[in-house]
């Protein structure tokens, strides 16, 4: 048998040695990878800058590239939300440029930056990349003109600006696609055009010489005639418990939202069926409060609390947790320990009010290396650096208690701990902030940026106890990658904030640290080649400072952007643009005086500058736009169970209704008061621009007859979905009261919790003049 195998092997070796040299190629033909490549281009290019596209390849075979001047109407398909592209037949077209690009040798994935020889020529082009019968096309728009659109339920404004000089362009041709047909108009002397047709445009194409900027206009929902907002005392409860509901209703009267009257219907809905219902009257301030009792037999799961009144409806989520079966679980920890001190934590288990010994308690503690303010309402587990630092099973002693200690971290950063404990069907959660009295927070504009893009940051300084800003602090900010370090120093403004940017972050992970004599904070930002899921440009720039003040029937606006040139657009907007002006920019500043006649409180100020060949804009709420100034007098540390009077100061002498809540942690989205205010403080206008500061990319299309392989087909089929967060444990509510008053101040009697610790205080104020305000603070029980 062995000799037979040797003979067969000899025959195989002989046949291989006698074969021609070309037969030495592996059985797998690697040239199959030549037809796999991917072409990407930016949505806009300026003629004075290099034009580059991204070509991803999997082999080193040359790629033939051809550039064609085409009509945008032959390539772009407007659908009212985004622009879709279609491939075109270029077999009879004449290329304006033709060249060959050779990627690096070998069979490996490579992302290549390919220069396109546009040579400063403005226009609309199609670039075709070809390897034999494998081809892809991508469009290029080289333009020195920028378009800005402000779309609202009741109108549309177009602004055209020269990206070189920053000046508005008058008599620029605009071709709108509306009602299935083209409609041509021209900008006025200020570079503006107000659309007044009945059919709403879905696309606009500009024409200025060879420049052809365009925008695919987003659809607009009709302006609501009424608004209803619902908030709960907590967003997790157990069957058989009562959930308190509060909110407000507004109806539109002209441009204003005023308090509604009548009755509110409240329903608890799950699986399309109402599980519980109640009703409440709207008071003279348009506010309501009610109590919804959950049926004892209600299954656990996710529900919605729906309310309707005055032709409007609103909702808030509610998670129903399993019944506790008489078992209660409490978590105790120091109020505000030092960042360098160990944190003792105690757990107490009771059944029907009596200590329960020998109970198994599962405990997990997540630490985030940040000192979070009381107003924080996000998911702590999602923060940079968050990690589980303690996960054990404990057993209660004869007094129903179990204790453990969290050792101080060694990284020098503050800590926010979330302690989660479960015993039987009972659960509890506590938040402990271990920090100095003053803290810093780094807020990146994005946690991941494209290679070559800047890292933009906002630095915030605040008091840990109540979140009050701490202005005037000098903060050193460093960005590091290994041994490479960049640094800047900023000073916090009156709002306790500062913005900055690192224009050349390092490829890969970047550690950003903000530090002053009192506090330190750190985050990570990744700089990497743009993913296939190309990110859109940032919506609104925080680099623009906007200051506004009322002056009789006018609004004086002073806006500035360092490095801006030419002119700026300044607008006042609600459901439409009410007043718009183009004003000169001097040393980065623009000043305008806008008419306020008939303007609603929920108006916003829109500002647009030209800087470095791009449009930079910001929409900011008008002073007191729908928002009521609310301030709570700090409460002194209270004894357990002590009573106190809470004084709430309101920025109006009109009558008002206040909802006061004390809970064991900051409010979650279903019960937060701050975001309820935001619903009335923003306009309905959407801003879009054709020349954003951050590059927006689009991918290839495949022409007919192309045999190109899809390099990213596998990645597209593996779209990661975010795992839903586990339902939070029920928040304990220690005080909930609804008070009414006027004259600029309200008083509410509150009772301190019976256990020592730090608790979250939230206040929502609803005024008779239609405005709404909120405030948050802490209550210390010692």
């Amino acid at each position: 048998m062995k000799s037979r195998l040797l003979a067969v092997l000899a025959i195989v070796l002989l046949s291989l040695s006698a074969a021609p040299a070309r037969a030495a190629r592996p059985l797998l033909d690697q040239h199959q990878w030549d037809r796999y490549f991917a072409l990407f281009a930016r949505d806009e290019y300026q003629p004075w800058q290099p034009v580059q596209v991204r070509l991803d390849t999997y082999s080193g075979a040359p790629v033939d590239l051809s550039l064609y001047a085409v009509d945008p109407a032959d390539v772009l398909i407007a659908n009212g939300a985004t622009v879709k592209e279609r491939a075109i037949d270029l077999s009879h077209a004449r290329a304006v440029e033709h060249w060959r690009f050779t990627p690096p040798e070998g069979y490996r994935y490579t992302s290549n930056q390919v220069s396109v020889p546009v040579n400063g020529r403005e226009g609309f082009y199609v670039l075709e990349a070809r390897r034999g019968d494998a081809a892809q096309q991508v469009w290029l728009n080289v333009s020195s003109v920028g378009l800005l659109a402000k779309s609202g339920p009741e109108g549309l404004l177009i602004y055209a600006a020269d990206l070189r000089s920053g000046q508005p362009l008058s008599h620029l041709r605009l071709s709108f696609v509306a009602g299935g047909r083209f409609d041509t108009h021209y900008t006025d002397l200020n570079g503006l055009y107000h659309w007044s047709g009945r059919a709403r445009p879905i696309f606009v194409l500009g024409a200025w010489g060879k420049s052809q900027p365009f925008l695919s206009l987003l659809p607009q929902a009709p302006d609501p005639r009424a608004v209803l907002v619902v908030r709960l005392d907590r967003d997790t409860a157990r069957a058989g418990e009562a959930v308190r509901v509060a909110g407000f209703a507004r109806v539109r009267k002209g441009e204003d939202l005023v308090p509604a009257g009548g009755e509110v219907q409240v329903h608890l809905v799950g699986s399309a069926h109402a599980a519980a219902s109640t009703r409440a009257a709207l008071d003279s301030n348009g506010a309501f409060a009610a109590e919804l009792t959950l049926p004892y037999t209600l299954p656990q799961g996710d529900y919605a609390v729906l309310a309707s009144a005055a032709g409007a409806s609103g909702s808030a989520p509610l998670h129903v947790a399993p019944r506790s079966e008489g078992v209660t679980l409490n978590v105790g920890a120091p109020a505000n320990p030092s960042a360098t001190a160990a944190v003792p934590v105690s757990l107490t288990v009771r059944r029907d009010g009596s200590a329960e010994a020998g109970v198994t308690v599962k405990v997990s503690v997540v630490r985030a290396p940040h000192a979070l303010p009381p107003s924080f309402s996000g998911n702590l587990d999602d923060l940079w650096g968050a990690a589980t630092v303690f996960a054990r099973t404990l057993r209660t002693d004869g007094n129903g208690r179990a204790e453990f200690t969290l050792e101080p971290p060694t990284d020098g950063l503050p800590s926010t701990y979330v302690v989660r404990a479960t015993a039987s069907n009972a659960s509890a959660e506590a938040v402990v902030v271990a920090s100095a009295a003053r803290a810093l927070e780094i807020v990146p504009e994005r946690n991941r940026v494209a290679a070559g893009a800047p890292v933009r940051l906002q630095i915030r300084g605040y008091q840990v106890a109540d979140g009050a800003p701490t202005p005037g602090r000098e903060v050193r900010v460093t960005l590091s990658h290994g041994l490479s370090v960049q640094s800047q120093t900023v000073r916090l403004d009156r709002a306790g904030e500062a913005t900055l940017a690192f224009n050349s972050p390092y490829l890969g992970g970047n550690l950003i640290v903000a530090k002053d004599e009192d506090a330190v904070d750190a985050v990570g930002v990744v700089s990497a080649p743009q993913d296939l899921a190309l990110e859109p440009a940032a919506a609104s720039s925080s680099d623009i400072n906007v200051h506004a003040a009322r002056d009789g029937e006018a609004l004086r606006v002073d806006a500035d952007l360092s490095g801006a040139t030419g002119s700026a657009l300044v607008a006042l907007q609600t459901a439409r643009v009410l007043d718009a002006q183009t004003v000169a920019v001097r040393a980065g500043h623009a000043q305008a005086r806008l008419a306020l006649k008939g303007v609603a409180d929920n108006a916003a100020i829109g500002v647009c500058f030209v800087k470095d060949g791009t449009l930079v804009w910001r929409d900011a709420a008008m002073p007191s736009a729908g928002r009521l100034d609310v301030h709570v007098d700090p409460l002194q540390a209270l004894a357990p169970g002590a009573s106190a009077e809470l004084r709430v100061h309101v920025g109006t002498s009109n009558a008002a209704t206040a909802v006061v809540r004390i809970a064991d942690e900051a409010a979650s989205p279903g019960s937060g008061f701050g975001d309820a205010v935001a619903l009335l403080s923003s306009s309905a206008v959407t801003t879009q621009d054709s020349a954003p500061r951050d590059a927006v990319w689009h991918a290839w299309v495949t022409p007919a007859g192309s045999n190109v392989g899809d390099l990213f087909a596998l990645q597209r089929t593996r779209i990661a979905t975010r795992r839903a967060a586990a339902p939070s444990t029920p928040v304990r509510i220690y005080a909930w009261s609804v008070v009414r008053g006027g004259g600029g101040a309200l008083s509410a009697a509150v009772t301190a919790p019976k256990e020592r610790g730090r608790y979250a205080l939230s206040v929502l104020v609803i005024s008779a003049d239609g405005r709404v305000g909120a405030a948050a603070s802490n209550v210390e029980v010692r």
Side-chain angles (χ1 to χ4, degrees):
M1 182 68 180
K2 183 177 180 181
S3 60
R4 182 179 299 176
L5 290 175
L6 291 175
V8 172
L9 180 60
I11 293 172
V12 172
L13 292 175
L14 181 62
S15 64
L16 289 176
S17 62
R22 58 183 173 84
R25 171 182 282 181
L27 295 178
L28 174 63
D29 183 6
Q30 291 184 331
H31 282 282
Q32 66 173 319
W33 296 113
D34 293 350
R35 68 183 186 90
Y36 285 87
F37 55 90
L39 190 61
F40 304 90
R42 288 173 49 173
D43 281 7
E44 52 78 30
Y45 296 93
Q46 283 78 48
W48 56 87
Q49 295 178 340
V51 175
Q52 290 186 324
V53 296
R54 171 181 152 185
L55 178 63
D56 294 350
T57 58
Y58 223 102
S59 77
V63 181
D64 291 317
L65 297 161
S66 301
L67 185 69
Y68 301 86
V70 300
D71 187 336
D74 294 335
V75 179
L76 304 177
I77 304 172
N79 64 4
T82 58
V83 171
K84 290 187 176 181
E85 310 86 9
R86 57 186 167 196
I88 59 176
D89 182 7
L90 297 172
S91 59
H92 302 291
R94 182 176 180 180
V96 297
E97 295 288 347
H98 181 80
W99 72 104
R100 173 169 285 188
F101 173 78
T102 303
E105 294 181 357
Y107 293 96
R108 63 183 186 274
Y109 171 76
T110 307
S111 184
N112 310 282
Q113 295 295 322
V114 181
S115 296
V116 180
V118 172
N119 301 323
R121 293 170 295 192
E122 299 183 43
F124 195 89
Y125 301 92
V126 164
L127 176 66
E128 183 173 83
R130 180 174 290 274
R131 279 174 169 168
D133 62 352
Q136 290 180 347
Q137 295 176 1
V138 73
W139 55 267
L140 311 176
N141 192 15
V142 184
S143 174
S144 62
V145 176
L147 293 183
L148 183 93
K150 288 187 171 291
S151 307
E154 299 179 7
L156 168 66
L157 174 74
I158 302 293
Y159 173 60
D162 187 328
L163 297 178
R164 283 191 177 94
S165 66
Q167 298 295 344
L169 294 175
S170 62
H171 206 67
L172 178 139
R173 189 179 70 194
L174 297 171
S175 298
F176 294 89
V177 177
R181 55 186 292 270
F182 279 98
D183 200 346
T184 301
H185 299 275
Y186 295 87
T187 58
D188 61 16
L189 293 177
N190 295 312
L192 301 173
Y193 178 75
H194 290 265
W195 173 264
S196 57
R198 289 187 177 181
R200 185 168 195 87
I202 62 172
F203 185 85
V204 58
L205 174 67
W208 183 265
K210 293 292 185 179
S211 286
Q212 300 182 79
F214 65 88
L215 286 171
S216 189
L217 302 172
L218 295 171
Q220 296 294 315
D223 206 18
R225 307 313 303 170
V227 175
L228 191 146
V229 176
V230 184
R231 288 297 178 266
L232 311 178
D233 63 348
R234 60 198 188 279
D235 68 354
T236 302
R238 301 185 188 279
E241 295 180 345
V243 175
R244 284 158 290 201
V245 184
F248 57 89
R250 296 288 185 261
V251 294
R252 190 167 298 281
K253 185 177 181 181
E255 293 286 347
D256 294 317
L257 286 171
V258 300
E263 189 178 68
V264 180
Q265 301 287 336
V266 183
H267 304 281
L268 176 68
V269 178
S271 302
H273 299 289
S277 300
T278 188
R279 61 183 60 189
L282 289 164
D283 65 14
S284 58
N285 304 318
F288 70 93
E291 191 172 277
L292 196 63
T293 301
L294 308 184
Y296 188 78
T297 57
L298 188 67
Q300 71 178 82
D302 293 318
Y303 295 80
V305 176
L306 303 180
S308 59
S313 60
S315 66
L318 178 67
H319 178 75
V320 177
R323 294 191 300 273
S324 62
E325 299 178 355
V327 177
T328 59
L329 175 63
N330 294 321
V331 178
N336 51 354
S338 167
T340 59
V343 180
V345 181
S346 63
L347 309 170
T348 304
V349 178
R350 294 180 178 275
R351 183 183 296 274
D352 299 326
S354 301
E356 184 80 355
V359 177
T360 298
V361 184
K362 293 183 179 180
V363 183
S364 68
V365 181
V366 175
R367 179 216 176 211
H370 312 276
L372 300 180
S375 58
F376 178 77
S377 59
N379 187 357
L380 184 139
D381 302 72
D382 292 337
L383 294 178
W384 177 86
T388 299
V389 295
F390 186 92
R392 295 183 187 176
T393 298
L394 306 177
R395 187 175 293 275
T396 58
D397 59 18
N399 297 316
R401 290 173 60 87
E403 298 178 343
F404 63 94
T405 300
L406 298 173
E407 297 300 327
T410 59
D411 54 18
L413 297 173
S415 301
T416 297
Y417 298 102
V418 173
V419 182
R420 299 185 177 106
T422 58
S424 298
N425 282 333
S427 57
E429 184 174 296
V431 177
V432 182
V433 179
S435 166
R438 303 203 302 177
L440 293 171
E441 181 185 18
I442 306 172
V443 184
E445 185 178 73
R446 292 177 180 172
N447 294 321
R448 183 182 179 93
V449 299
V455 171
R456 297 187 176 91
L457 309 166
Q458 184 178 46
I459 308 298
R460 298 173 181 167
Y462 53 88
Q463 297 283 355
V464 174
D466 57 7
T470 54
R473 299 165 67 179
E474 192 169 276
V475 181
R476 185 171 184 265
V477 185
T478 60
L479 178 144
S480 61
H481 177 89
L483 299 177
S484 302
V485 179
Q486 304 175 36
S487 66
Q488 298 184 41
T489 300
V490 296
R491 182 176 292 276
L492 304 187
D493 61 17
R494 290 179 297 178
E497 299 176 350
T499 58
L500 72 153
F502 288 98
N503 293 320
S504 301
Y506 306 106
L507 193 64
N510 293 266
L511 177 65
I512 301 168
V513 177
K515 186 176 184 179
D516 69 356
E517 59 184 8
D518 296 326
V520 62
D521 192 30
V523 299
V525 175
V526 175
S527 175
Q530 197 87 0
D531 293 333
L532 182 65
L534 301 172
E535 296 184 9
S540 180
S541 173
S542 59
D543 293 343
I544 299 177
N545 298 309
V546 180
H547 303 281
R550 293 176 181 265
D551 185 9
E553 289 295 310
L555 183 71
R556 290 184 288 106
V557 179
D558 186 344
D560 67 87
L561 174 65
S562 177
T565 59
S567 296
L569 171 69
V570 183
L572 191 63
Q573 57 203 44
T574 52
R576 65 181 188 278
V577 175
L578 303 174
D579 190 11
Q581 300 176 13
T582 53
V583 296
V585 175
R586 297 181 177 86
H589 282 263
Q591 295 180 331
R593 185 180 174 89
L594 303 174
L596 276 179
K597 186 176 181 180
V599 173
D601 276 337
N602 65 326
I605 303 163
V607 180
C608 178
F609 288 96
V610 175
K611 177 182 177 180
D612 299 332
T614 64
L615 297 177
V616 185
W617 56 269
R618 181 183 178 190
D619 291 339
M622 203 173 69
S624 300
R627 187 181 297 270
L628 187 65
D629 290 332
V630 176
H631 173 71
V632 178
D633 285 345
L635 289 173
Q636 299 296 325
L638 302 175
S643 298
E645 183 182 20
L646 180 69
R647 192 74 171 165
V648 181
H649 300 276
V650 183
T652 179
S653 59
N654 293 317
T657 302
V659 182
V660 179
R661 174 184 57 209
I662 296 178
D664 58 1
E665 65 176 55
S668 49
S671 55
F673 290 163
D675 58 347
V677 177
L679 293 173
L680 296 182
S681 59
S682 59
S683 74
V685 166
T686 301
T687 304
Q688 299 172 255
D689 72 281
S690 67
R693 178 182 58 180
D694 294 336
V696 180
W697 295 72
H698 57 274
W700 73 94
V701 293
T702 304
S706 172
N707 190 34
V708 70
D710 190 347
L711 185 61
F712 295 99
L714 183 61
Q715 286 89 331
R716 286 204 189 95
T717 62
R718 295 180 179 177
I719 300 175
T721 56
R722 182 185 180 91
R723 186 180 63 181
S728 59
T729 55
V731 175
R732 290 191 295 274
I733 305 299
Y734 299 95
W736 174 274
S737 60
V738 179
V739 296
R740 296 173 176 84
L746 300 94
S747 296
V750 296
T751 301
K754 295 181 179 180
E755 296 182 5
R756 293 176 173 84
R758 185 173 68 168
Y759 300 87
L761 169 67
S762 304
V763 179
L764 175 67
V765 179
I766 303 153
S767 172
D769 62 11
R771 292 183 293 164
V772 178
S777 184
N778 282 327
V779 176
E780 299 285 347
V781 179
R782 300 176 184 173

